[in-house]
Amino acid sequence: MTAEARPDPLARAARPADETGPSASGKPVGRTEGAAFSPLYRQIKALLVQSLERGEWKPGDLIPSEIDLAARFQVSQGTVRKAIDELAAEHMLLRRQGKGTFVATHHEARVRYRFLRLAPDEEGEAVRTESRILECRRARPSAEIARILELRAGETAVTIRRVLSFDGVATVVDDIWLPGSVFRGLTLDVLTANRGPLYGLFETQFGVSMVRADEKLRAVAASSEIADLLGIAAGAPLLQVDRVSYTYGGRPMEVRRGTYLTNHFHYRNSLN
């Protein structure tokens, strides 16, 4: 992937004839004739994401009310609501009845495992999850990992291996790569001392919120190394999930290869 400059979405987007668009300062801007059209609520959504990316509101923070945001951007409250609805559907924001809208955090119970789609075959069954960190080190990544993470020549990555167990049974082996320049100070001791979700640690200590992920799935045979970690025979069938996770602005922050034992679990996803 090649990093690209992200132009101000409002510099390109034409405004509806009956309503001028917002600017980052909240001042209205006139129509741009001949420019590609972008619905006004999408422009507001882009500005809200920019504020999240800049750290104006941190994970767990209450964002301003719809009325206040409408005044800030000089648009209708309905336009702001539609933008927030999309961000809530994408799990960047969380609505709490009677309390307002908050920046999503991986410490939140409804969000912390949203990228883990492995579910027990017995639906509704409570599962105890344990994480065991086996390795954390800095190393020169492969060319492919460096390309995906958009690392410059010579930059290192932090590599992590861990085993997830469900109800005491080793079920997932995760191999993780992170940009070393962003995750300075991430060590085996830090990971071992962490009692919360891994993405929650990334938020709290490194200011990185994972907000989106792309995955590829394939069936594989267990290597002898993975088989030993999962306590199965070499060659046993496994599900391999390759994931790239992104922070705000579409910046790649993690490459993860998860190898899943699906004897008593299945990969679950909802398609709209």
Side-chain angles (χ1 to χ4, degrees):
M1 299 181 186
T2 303
E4 297 179 353
R6 293 186 293 276
D8 182 349
L10 303 175
R12 306 184 276 105
R15 277 74 186 176
D18 58 347
E19 188 168 14
T20 57
S23 69
S25 65
K27 296 180 180 179
V29 237
R31 292 185 62 188
T32 304
E33 297 298 336
F37 173 75
S38 176
L40 187 56
Y41 80 91
R42 286 283 174 83
Q43 300 174 44
I44 299 302
K45 177 183 175 183
L47 290 175
L48 292 173
V49 171
Q50 287 176 15
S51 291
L52 293 169
E53 188 176 5
R54 290 195 303 267
E56 181 178 347
W57 309 307
K58 304 292 186 183
D61 281 357
L62 174 69
I63 70 169
S65 69
E66 291 175 359
I67 294 175
D68 289 341
L69 289 171
R72 169 175 171 171
F73 297 125
Q74 299 186 25
V75 297
S76 70
Q77 187 177 345
T79 297
V80 171
R81 182 177 299 116
K82 194 168 183 179
I84 290 176
D85 284 344
E86 281 208 356
L87 291 172
E90 294 169 8
H91 303 288
M92 291 193 198
L93 299 177
L94 287 174
R95 292 188 183 277
R96 292 179 183 162
Q97 188 66 33
K99 295 183 178 179
T101 302
F102 295 77
V103 181
T105 169
H106 285 275
H107 290 288
E108 175 82 23
R110 286 181 291 169
V111 175
R112 62 191 298 177
Y113 294 121
R114 78 174 188 267
F115 291 165
L116 180 61
R117 300 305 178 100
L118 206 62
D121 291 338
E122 298 295 329
E123 296 288 347
E125 185 177 290
V127 176
R128 178 171 49 87
T129 304
E130 300 172 51
S131 174
R132 181 164 59 99
I133 305 296
L134 304 181
E135 180 181 283
C136 177
R137 60 190 177 87
R138 302 182 79 86
R140 188 70 56 83
S142 69
E144 177 65 5
I145 296 296
R147 181 189 66 80
I148 295 173
L149 290 177
E150 300 178 357
L151 302 181
R152 294 188 296 271
E155 284 191 298
T156 61
V158 176
T159 66
I160 300 168
R161 169 168 279 187
R162 74 168 180 177
V163 175
L164 283 177
S165 297
F166 299 143
D167 288 337
V169 178
T171 306
V172 179
V173 177
D174 275 330
D175 288 300
I176 299 167
W177 294 265
L178 306 164
S181 61
V182 177
F183 289 89
R184 288 190 175 93
L186 183 59
T187 64
L188 183 61
D189 288 342
V190 170
L191 290 169
T192 302
N194 178 50
R195 292 294 176 263
L198 196 56
Y199 286 161
L201 174 70
F202 295 167
E203 269 182 10
T204 303
Q205 294 204 22
F206 300 94
V208 174
S209 295
M210 304 295 187
V211 299
R212 182 176 70 80
D214 292 333
E215 291 186 334
K216 295 180 181 179
L217 284 68
R218 70 183 67 197
V220 297
S223 66
S224 57
E225 183 180 13
I226 296 296
D228 286 345
L229 293 173
L230 293 177
I232 58 175
L238 297 171
L239 179 66
Q240 179 179 295
V241 180
D242 291 324
R243 177 194 303 168
V244 181
S245 300
Y246 301 85
T247 189
Y248 302 115
R251 184 181 176 190
M253 276 291 165
E254 177 198 52
V255 176
R256 179 183 300 217
R257 170 163 289 176
T259 311
Y260 296 4
L261 179 63
T262 57
N263 289 3
H264 304 290
F265 294 84
H266 59 273
Y267 188 93
R268 180 178 60 195
N269 203 1
S270 298
L271 303 177
N272 297 321

